[in-house]
Amino acid sequence: MSNHNTTQTQQAQSRKDIDLNGLIKQMTLDEKIAQLIQLAVPFYEGAVGAGQITGPMESLGITEETVHNSGSVLGMAGAQDVINVQRTHLSNNRHGIPLLMMADIVHGFKTIFPVPLAIGCSWDMELAELSAAIAAKEAAVSGVHVTYAPMVDLVRDPRWGRVVESTGEDPYLNSLYARAFVRGFQGSDLAGDMDKVAACVKHFAAYGAAEGGRDYNTVDLSDRQMREFYLPAYKAALDEGCEMVMTSFNTVDGVPATGNSKLMRKLLREEWGFDGILISDWGAVKELIAHGIAADESEAALKAIKAGVDIEMMTSCYVSHLSELVASKEVNEELIDEAVLRILKLKHKLGLFDNPYRAADPKREAEVVFCDEHRDSARELAVKSCVLLKNDGALPLSADRKIALIGPFAKNSDVLGPWSWTGSKDAAVTMEAGMRNRLGDAAELLVAEGCGIESATEEQWQEALAAATAADIVVLALGEHSDMSGEAGCRADIRLPGIQLELIRKIKALGKQVVAVLFNGRPLDLHGIYEDADAILEAWYPGSEAGSAVAALLFGDANPSGRLTMSFPYSVGQVPVYYNAYNTGRPQGAPDAQVRYVSQYLDIPNEPLLPFGFGLSYSEFAYSEASLSSETMTESDQLKVTVKITNTGSVAGVETVQLYVRDLSGEVVRPVKELKDFRKVELQPGESSVVEFVLTEQQLRYYHSDLAHESDAGAFVAFAGPNSKTNAALPFKLIK
Ligand code: GLC
């Protein structure tokens, strides 16, 4: 067995062809079943009975023998630890089958990038791919083989805590990001490139559609809704070569995904041809009992293995019951063999039979992880992921004005966001550090917390009011604690906590200009902020370089260019609110619409406060001369959509020109707008550019009521503009 320092080329060349089927034939049934279990780290550090398994080891029927034959580990990282555990494991495994080391490396390993919802707002696929490539490199050298990412769940409900992990409400954009992240994680030669890890797209499927925005809640969608909106990004990840799929906790059409043969066998494996590893999400196999489709763990194991779930994460239904199910002929042993073969194939593809330590290298780990080059990339992406939501002239800041930095995120290092467990908050650049670095020692920056995330002391109030009174302008660093989003981080009231709204009121009452910087994991209800702040920068959770990226934007060293990929609702009462919605039979403002009897609320508008695609800049961009190459197109034609953009402002900036289409006459109702393309254009002051999009008949196809994916002849409208609300309408016809 080669040591873990073998060069990449040597490893790729020396890979011996193993007869995996022959190996399976040598394995006992219990050894094969053990390959299908995935346990947490403590089981491999000898902490028998401890660990994150749901219940003590003994009650799970997990013996030491099971552990010695298990197939993979959840949540292990650190080159030396991985080497030690792998070495011990191999000494106990009769066949020399190495462990797969899997972990959640979602938006960075040690160098933490902005949360995916922020990366989504960059509309920059190259940087998104680079962030995944850097995450993969740092993870691989630390011994990780597989990451449970990308998460590509389409989202429409900001009450759901996990919108923070998604890239938003549009299937086309989510698909582009899915591909970019898979390319970044896996590269083009996963077998030979030791700086890459296998990706695992999740959560299959439609986890983001949980009713009420409540995590793990019921999802019930038509096949058509699934295919039109929720499935495309998973398919894009698989088309990009993603090695694994993770099941979702939710039901899909009445059957929990993890036991759903229609979804997993018929669609994922037969229709889409996916033959990689399907892993359950944490405990989802055993949760089939709570869902009510399995009477006990034996039936849960039966339904999951029949649905094609290869690896059971964190529960032990498989190891406790599959052998008896085979004995009773309720499960054909071939089902187990096919699952084991998929697992062994990935181990072989990763070269683990030749070098079970793959890229794990403590020396190189120390050089690569959290290096300056990676942090520079994290800062660049953070700058491009922030979204300027409002600016009445308070930004950019001038360094010669006395600035007060106030709020719970003034000093707070909770800027990495959920799924940053391998990162270090202590190493993150806080708002205070970022602003002091930017201002230099000469300038005076007054800093006071004013209040915590959800509470305040009189002393904090007084400190903040004193700082604000002495300052010319106030920067308020506000937000949600990172535990207020992420998994099971769902909120029914999506405003900032009341104490922070009180802080804004108190500071505003002093008559100072107020710039709000928001650190949060969801679109917020901005009541209490939007009207009082003179400027608002949405920073999300910007990652390791938070303070330096935000400071660069606040002082105009960088020009905000982020564009929202998830609508900001007027209030939670609107939710779900999203741009690609249907018109209804009684849309407000239609030619014959009545005043009252239309689709409306009596107390709030229908429109979100800030729409999909929205974002401001320090530049001003004017659109003109929008036109089509023709007013008709055929299936073989290409329709050109052109629009001129001019930077009428005084600073260079980047505009994201967006192309939408509306199908006015579908066989089923069609969204009032659908994003079809976009172009990022950098313009100097006074500079113009003509952007040309090409529309094809393929882009007009959609799922009909019989699930045929095709276009219809008829009337359409193309829209080109800065966001999903403001754009020039260009009618055309598709002729067939
Ligand atoms: C969690 C999450 C999933 C994650 C897995 C392993 O429950 O739902 O996204 O990858 O468990 O940590």
Side-chain angles (χ1 to χ4, degrees):
M1 185 177 306
S2 58
N3 70 33
H4 53 277
N5 289 318
T6 310
T7 64
Q8 297 186 10
T9 317
Q10 285 167 319
Q11 280 175 353
Q13 286 163 351
S14 73
R15 184 139 319 138
K16 54 182 179 248
D17 273 334
I18 294 181
D19 173 9
L20 298 177
N21 286 301
L23 173 54
I24 291 172
K25 287 190 174 69
Q26 296 168 33
M27 296 167 73
T28 66
L29 178 58
D30 284 347
E31 288 170 335
K32 291 189 282 190
I33 292 169
Q35 280 294 312
L36 312 187
I37 189 168
Q38 180 171 103
L39 300 172
V41 169
F43 278 83
Y44 300 90
E45 291 165 346
V48 169
Q52 299 158 318
I53 292 279
T54 49
M57 190 172 176
E58 297 69 29
S59 71
L60 293 174
I62 297 176
T63 64
E64 284 297 325
E65 198 54 27
T66 304
V67 175
H68 294 159
N69 288 300
S70 57
S72 55
V73 193
L74 156 65
M76 176 161 286
Q80 197 55 58
D81 287 347
V82 165
I83 291 167
N84 295 344
V85 166
Q86 188 74 289
R87 184 182 289 128
T88 305
H89 182 77
L90 289 169
S91 67
N92 291 314
N93 186 287
R94 184 164 76 95
H95 302 286
I97 301 173
L99 286 164
L100 267 175
M101 304 293 181
M102 303 193 192
D104 293 283
I105 313 300
V106 179
H107 56 105
F109 180 73
K110 180 79 173 178
T111 305
I112 301 298
F113 287 85
V115 289
L117 188 57
I119 294 177
C121 294
S122 73
W123 296 55
D124 190 325
M125 299 309 147
E126 282 179 23
L127 273 183
E129 180 176 338
L130 177 61
S131 73
I134 289 172
K137 186 172 184 177
E138 293 193 357
V141 78
S142 305
V144 176
H145 304 145
V146 178
T147 180
Y148 304 122
M151 187 274 212
V152 302
D153 303 327
L154 183 131
V155 294
R156 291 173 166 171
D157 192 328
R159 291 171 294 182
W160 191 45
R162 303 195 76 166
V163 301
V164 67
E165 301 170 50
S166 78
T167 49
E169 68 194 45
D170 182 75
Y172 165 71
L173 209 53
N174 289 351
S175 299
L176 293 179
Y177 279 114
R179 287 179 174 274
F181 288 135
V182 169
R183 282 196 305 272
F185 287 129
Q186 295 190 170
S188 55
D189 173 22
L190 178 61
D193 187 343
M194 295 298 122
D195 287 343
K196 299 298 178 185
V197 294
C200 176
V201 65
K202 67 186 185 182
H203 305 79
F204 196 67
Y207 184 21
E211 284 180 1
R214 198 174 82 233
D215 211 347
Y216 319 119
N217 204 5
T218 302
V219 169
D220 206 321
L221 299 164
S222 67
D223 284 350
R224 219 177 44 71
Q225 272 292 315
M226 290 281 284
R227 288 177 182 272
E228 198 67 60
F229 292 102
Y230 289 88
L231 293 178
Y234 304 112
K235 182 69 166 55
L238 296 179
D239 289 346
E240 198 65 38
C242 188
E243 290 288 343
M244 286 181 56
V245 175
M246 182 185 290
T247 70
S248 58
F249 289 117
N250 54 280
T251 53
V252 176
D253 193 11
V255 181
T258 307
N260 193 321
S261 291
K262 177 185 171 191
L263 181 67
M264 301 302 182
R265 287 271 182 210
K266 201 161 165 26
L267 176 68
L268 179 64
R269 295 208 186 274
E270 290 166 23
E271 183 182 329
W272 287 3
F274 175 68
D275 193 36
I277 296 173
L278 177 63
I279 186 170
S280 74
D281 196 347
W282 191 290
V285 171
K286 186 175 176 182
E287 288 173 17
L288 298 179
I289 301 169
H291 272 294
I293 68 158
D296 51 29
E297 290 191 16
S298 177
E299 190 176 10
L302 176 67
K303 294 208 166 178
I305 197 74
K306 286 200 165 180
V309 175
D310 301 309
I311 297 179
E312 177 184 9
M313 186 193 293
M314 294 307 288
T315 52
S316 57
C317 302
Y318 278 13
V319 288
S320 301
H321 299 285
L322 276 182
S323 53
E324 77 205 25
L325 287 166
V326 169
S328 65
K329 303 218 183 304
E330 290 175 86
V331 168
N332 186 320
E333 189 165 348
E334 286 175 9
L335 281 188
I336 295 168
D337 291 350
E338 77 176 35
V340 175
L341 182 58
R342 292 188 191 108
I343 296 165
L344 297 184
K345 276 182 175 176
L346 183 56
K347 293 181 181 183
H348 186 244
K349 182 169 194 175
L350 289 164
L352 295 178
F353 285 101
D354 297 279
N355 175 8
Y357 310 104
R358 190 166 156 86
D361 182 334
K363 182 172 173 302
R364 189 158 177 262
E365 182 182 34
E367 295 158 6
V368 164
V369 166
F370 207 57
C371 64
D372 289 347
E373 181 193 345
H374 292 177
R375 296 176 66 176
D376 291 347
S377 299
R379 182 166 54 252
E380 182 187 3
L381 187 46
V383 163
K384 294 183 175 179
S385 303
C386 295
V387 187
L388 184 59
L389 303 182
K390 179 182 180 185
N391 186 19
D392 292 347
L395 288 177
L397 297 175
S398 161
D400 57 20
R401 294 179 76 186
K402 189 179 283 189
I403 300 167
L405 172 61
I406 296 171
F409 277 85
K411 301 167 178 276
N412 194 337
S413 58
D414 184 23
V415 292
L416 305 184
W419 295 115
S420 55
W421 63 290
T422 49
S424 161
K425 287 182 181 177
D426 295 343
V429 181
T430 63
M431 272 295 284
E432 179 181 17
M435 290 185 74
R436 289 199 187 284
N437 294 344
R438 170 60 182 73
L439 283 167
D441 298 338
E444 183 186 5
L445 177 68
L446 305 169
V447 181
E449 285 185 312
C451 67
I453 299 281
E454 297 180 276
S455 62
T457 65
E458 188 52 36
E459 184 187 357
Q460 283 179 314
W461 285 134
Q462 294 313 318
E463 265 182 359
L465 293 174
T469 304
D472 300 322
I473 185 167
V474 177
V475 175
L476 284 178
L478 309 169
E480 296 176 308
H481 188 282
S482 57
D483 284 348
M484 295 165 81
S485 58
E487 185 171 356
C490 304
R491 298 179 68 210
D493 180 347
I494 54 174
R495 291 173 297 173
L496 277 184
I499 199 76
Q500 296 186 51
L501 300 182
E502 192 177 345
L503 177 64
I504 296 173
R505 283 194 296 275
K506 286 178 181 283
I507 301 298
K508 195 63 190 168
L510 298 176
K512 304 286 180 174
Q513 270 194 319
V514 172
V515 174
V517 181
L518 304 179
F519 297 88
N520 48 290
R522 58 168 48 83
L524 295 169
D525 171 345
L526 293 177
H527 277 93
I529 306 171
Y530 194 76
E531 56 276 15
D532 281 352
D534 299 290
I536 303 173
L537 182 70
E538 175 55 74
W540 309 108
Y541 294 108
S544 302
E545 292 296 315
S548 45
V550 172
L553 290 164
L554 292 179
F555 286 97
D557 305 335
N559 190 352
S561 59
R563 297 290 181 268
L564 295 178
T565 59
M566 190 175 182
S567 306
F568 268 60
Y570 179 85
S571 77
V572 74
Q574 268 186 345
V575 168
V577 62
Y578 47 94
Y579 91 93
N580 41 8
Y582 300 133
N583 202 32
T584 79
R586 292 202 177 192
Q588 279 181 321
D592 55 357
Q594 303 182 52
V595 173
R596 178 176 175 84
Y597 299 99
V598 291
S599 182
Q600 67 176 356
Y601 300 100
L602 294 178
D603 50 352
I604 62 169
N606 286 5
E607 296 300 313
L609 178 70
L610 301 170
F612 175 89
F614 176 85
L616 299 175
S617 159
Y618 295 148
S619 311
E620 299 291 333
F621 296 105
Y623 284 71
S624 60
E625 301 172 27
S627 66
L628 294 175
S629 54
S630 166
E631 290 182 356
T632 59
M633 70 182 284
T634 64
E635 286 176 279
S636 55
D637 276 351
Q638 289 185 342
L639 193 65
K640 288 187 174 57
V641 185
T642 54
V643 63
K644 184 178 178 182
I645 301 96
T646 303
N647 181 349
T648 57
S650 58
V651 292
V654 175
E655 172 66 329
T656 301
V657 184
Q658 298 157 39
L659 174 69
Y660 297 87
V661 166
R662 180 179 182 180
D663 182 344
L664 293 172
S665 56
E667 183 251 357
V668 295
V669 292
R670 309 285 295 115
V672 294
K673 279 203 182 78
E674 292 178 282
L675 181 70
K676 294 298 179 185
D677 201 349
F678 64 91
R679 198 88 80 248
K680 297 189 75 160
V681 183
E682 180 160 12
L683 295 172
Q684 295 304 315
E687 185 183 4
S688 292
S689 172
V690 175
V691 169
E692 179 178 284
F693 295 108
V694 174
L695 260 183
T696 64
E697 177 271 334
Q698 287 84 351
Q699 288 171 288
L700 306 179
R701 295 178 184 173
Y702 66 94
Y703 286 95
H704 287 57
S705 50
D706 63 356
L707 298 186
H709 191 244
E710 53 202 26
S711 62
D712 302 328
F716 292 80
V717 183
F719 304 89
N723 58 59
S724 59
K725 189 168 167 54
T726 318
N727 23 55
L730 301 163
F732 69 94
K733 284 193 186 320
L734 173 62
I735 298 169
K736 282 189 150 187

